[in-house]
Amino acid sequence: MRDNKWLAEQLHSLHTKYFSDVPIENTILVRFGRESKTRFGSIIAKPTSGYRDPVTYITINSLFKDETVPEFVIIGTLLHEFVHYAHGFHSPIKRKYRYPHQGGIVNREIRARGAGETLALQTKWIKTTYRDFLRSKNLI
C-alpha cells in the first residue's frame, strides 16, 4: 500500500543506496500531496513548531498512490527532489548552484549516482503512458 510511511521508507532506501555521502542536516518529511496533472513532486523548507531547524517537506503527487503507476515513476520523482536537497535547495546544505535546474544538473546528478535506468524508465513512461493514465482519471 502506498502511503506516507511507504514514501518515507523509499526515501530512506534511496538515501542509503545513492546519497550516503549527503548528510541529513534537518528533519525531512515526505508525504503525498494534492493531485496534479503537471507536477510530480516538490520540495520546500519551512519553520515548524516543535523542530529546532526548518523542516524540509518533499511532497509527491497523490495520483501516484494508484498502483497502476509504476514504482519507478515515484522513485524517479523522489530522486529528483532529493537531488535538490543535496544541492542545497530547501536544505541547510550549502547551495552548489544558482538555479535548481541549471543546465540539466538534476538529471546529470541522478545518472552520475547510478540511477540513470530509473530516470530512463520514468521518462519513457511519461512520454508513452502518462497521458492515457490522466485520461483514465478523467483529468484530460
Side-chain angles (χ1 to χ4, degrees):
M1 180 175 156
R2 294 178 180 170
D3 57 13
N4 292 343
K5 182 179 179 212
W6 179 84
L7 279 177
E9 291 166 357
Q10 299 308 306
L11 185 63
H12 175 74
S13 176
L14 293 173
H15 179 255
T16 301
K17 185 173 181 179
Y18 298 111
F19 296 93
S20 60
D21 62 313
V22 177
I24 303 295
E25 298 200 358
N26 65 331
T27 301
I28 300 174
L29 299 177
V30 62
R31 62 193 177 182
F32 283 105
R34 64 181 179 82
E35 291 183 357
S36 175
K37 293 187 288 187
T38 57
R39 183 175 293 219
F40 283 23
S42 65
I43 184 170
I44 190 166
K46 57 185 175 180
T48 303
S49 64
Y51 293 95
R52 194 186 89 209
D53 296 317
V55 173
T56 296
Y57 292 92
I58 295 176
T59 305
I60 304 299
N61 187 337
S62 66
L63 287 172
F64 297 165
K65 286 181 182 181
D66 187 318
E67 298 282 338
T68 64
V69 175
E71 197 171 294
F72 59 75
V73 173
I74 301 161
I75 299 303
T77 304
L78 287 169
L79 285 166
H80 180 104
E81 299 308 331
F82 197 80
V83 166
H84 288 315
Y85 183 90
H87 287 172
F89 294 95
H90 302 286
S91 76
I93 297 171
K94 185 177 187 294
R95 190 170 289 182
K96 293 182 180 178
Y97 302 97
R98 185 170 181 188
Y99 303 106
H101 294 101
Q102 179 178 324
I105 56 171
V106 174
N107 290 346
R108 197 164 47 242
E109 182 87 23
I110 290 170
R111 287 186 201 98
R113 290 183 175 271
E117 184 177 347
T118 300
L119 182 63
L121 288 169
Q122 181 190 39
T123 301
K124 183 178 179 184
W125 185 84
I126 292 166
K127 289 181 178 179
T128 62
T129 310
Y130 188 52
R131 194 163 183 79
D132 291 335
F133 171 75
L134 292 175
R135 206 173 278 117
S136 75
K137 298 288 186 188
N138 295 317
L139 294 172
I140 56 172

